[in-house]
Structures are given as C-alpha cells and as structure tokens.
Amino acid sequence: MTGIYTVILERIFQNMPDYKVKLTPVPWKRGLKMAKQGKLLALYPPYARPVERPYMDYDMAILDEELAVFCRNEVLTKPRPNWPEDYYGLDIGNNAGFLAGGDAFWAAVKDKKISVQETKGTPRNLLKLIAGRVDCYMNDSLSIRWELKKLQSEGKYDGSSLSKGAVISKEQGFLGFSKVSNDFPYKKDFKSKYLQILKELKASGEIDRIVDKYLQ
C-alpha cells in the first residue's frame, strides 16, 4: 500500500504501542459497504459526507485537499478554468464509487454534456489518461502527483504530457470510523488516542513535513 494517507497513518500508529494496526486495501465501494455493516473499524480517506454516509464519524481531518482535474496537454491548449462548463464534451475519468466533481458536474453528466468513465484506483485511471482513453481525470492533486511520480519512475509516464486544469473544490480527508462497528469494543479508546496523536502531529508541523517529503 502506498499514498500520503498511508504514510501519515503509519506514522500515527507508530505512536500507539497499545495497538497493532493492520491496513488492508479494499475496493472503495466494498469498503463503504463494510463500514455501513460494521465489518471494519475505520476506512480512509473519505470526505465528510454525513448525508450520503451517515454511518461514519468524521472527527478530525487528516489533510486539506485540493480536488482538481488533470488533462492531456492537447486538451488544455485553450484555457479551461471554469468547472464544469469548460469541460463539456469531454470524457472524464473518475475513481469508481468516488463522489467527486460536485452537483453541477453530475447534472451535466445526466444531461449527457459530459461523459464519465469509472475505474478502480488512481494508477489505472492515470494510465487510461496517459494512453488517451479519457481526456481528463479528477482526483486529489496530491494523489495524482504522487502516482505520476511513481509511474514516471517505472517508465510508464514521460513526465510532461499531462497538466492540471481547473480546481474543482477544496476537501478534507478523514479516517472515517464506522458508527456500527460493534465488534470492536476498544473503538472508543483507540479513537481517542488516534485523535490526540493526530492533533499533536498537526500542531508540531510533522504532517506538513511528511507531505513535503512525500512529494520530493
């Protein structure tokens, strides 16, 4: 498992010696279903969606995120600063199950002004974008930059053919604790210690240092 949230959470859990934490990758939709059914303690990194996902607690954000759309350079030969109007007629990639893009975007999709292709995971979406199978891809800027760096090191990306387009919104990523996880009697204690350490790392600037190192 890779990614900035994984790095940060591993750093937090190192400071929780009373617990041995296992991070298990699951498809996003399955993870949401498991959280709803109480089959996992917590899931990361959901955005706060208390109406759509009332079965999770959103206590303290791990990171402030910038949701943006990245496109092939030829798509951005003309300026496209306005989301989603400037992207009408394009094919946009999205992580399967992610509620990104905003209401106006999904209304445009419903009206067939924009088409969407959903694929599991950021690396697969970016490979589709690099191959020209979609025009753009929307996700957290940090995640996209990290994966592009990794793909470039693997010889799968030239390092220059994609650019950031419009900023869609500002979001925050959480460790979302399942409200119905009754099989985890230690949840209250675990959650309390997790939130205290996260608060300390934020206050000390450690989270910012992790992010800076992550993107080098």
Side-chain angles (χ1 to χ4, degrees):
M1 294 179 66
T2 62
I4 185 63
Y5 283 98
T6 298
V7 174
I8 292 172
L9 288 175
E10 287 176 340
R11 175 71 175 82
I12 293 172
F13 297 146
Q14 288 172 4
N15 291 310
M16 296 175 62
D18 293 339
Y19 292 94
K20 182 177 180 181
V21 182
K22 181 179 181 181
L23 302 179
T24 303
V26 294
W28 186 245
K29 287 185 177 179
R30 186 190 305 169
L32 292 174
K33 183 178 181 180
M34 291 173 69
K36 188 175 183 179
Q37 295 174 339
K39 293 183 178 179
L40 49 72
L41 175 64
L43 179 71
Y44 72 94
Y47 302 139
R49 298 287 189 269
V51 176
E52 296 93 337
R53 302 167 188 162
Y55 47 85
M56 280 195 287
D57 283 324
Y58 311 93
D59 294 275
M60 183 185 300
I62 301 172
L63 284 177
D64 294 326
E65 294 188 12
E66 177 187 81
L67 288 179
V69 59
F70 280 66
C71 306
R72 292 180 287 111
N73 288 341
E74 55 265 34
V75 175
L76 297 175
T77 51
K78 70 171 186 177
R80 298 179 185 268
N82 301 306
W83 179 264
E85 294 85 355
D86 289 344
Y87 295 80
Y88 287 176
L90 298 181
D91 199 359
I92 310 296
N94 182 43
N95 283 12
F98 278 30
L99 300 175
D103 293 341
F105 169 77
W106 290 107
V109 172
K110 184 178 180 180
D111 293 339
K112 301 188 183 303
K113 295 177 180 178
I114 297 176
S115 62
V116 172
Q117 289 192 35
E118 293 203 329
T119 302
K120 293 181 180 179
T122 300
R124 291 181 182 179
N125 272 290
L126 286 172
L127 287 173
K128 287 178 67 174
L129 179 58
I130 292 166
R133 292 165 56 196
V134 292
D135 298 306
C136 304
Y137 167 58
M138 58 182 181
N139 200 354
D140 163 50
S141 291
L142 280 176
S143 297
I144 291 176
R145 289 165 63 190
W146 162 258
E147 292 295 346
L148 286 178
K149 182 180 71 171
K150 187 169 182 288
L151 290 173
Q152 185 176 1
S153 70
E154 296 171 352
K156 297 177 182 178
Y157 172 54
D158 62 10
S160 62
S161 59
L162 305 179
S163 299
K164 187 172 80 170
V167 173
I168 298 171
S169 64
K170 304 287 187 177
E171 291 278 9
Q172 292 182 310
F174 293 77
L175 179 61
F177 284 85
S178 173
K179 290 183 177 181
V180 291
S181 51
N182 297 322
D183 292 336
F184 305 97
Y186 48 81
K187 180 173 69 173
K188 183 178 180 180
D189 178 70
F190 180 93
K191 185 177 177 183
S192 174
K193 290 177 178 176
Y194 160 79
L195 292 173
Q196 180 60 38
I197 295 170
L198 175 58
K199 181 180 180 180
E200 292 170 357
L201 293 182
K202 282 174 168 282
S204 70
E206 180 67 15
I207 298 295
D208 292 334
R209 289 190 288 272
I210 291 173
V211 172
D212 290 341
K213 183 177 180 180
Y214 173 88
L215 291 175
Q216 288 177 357

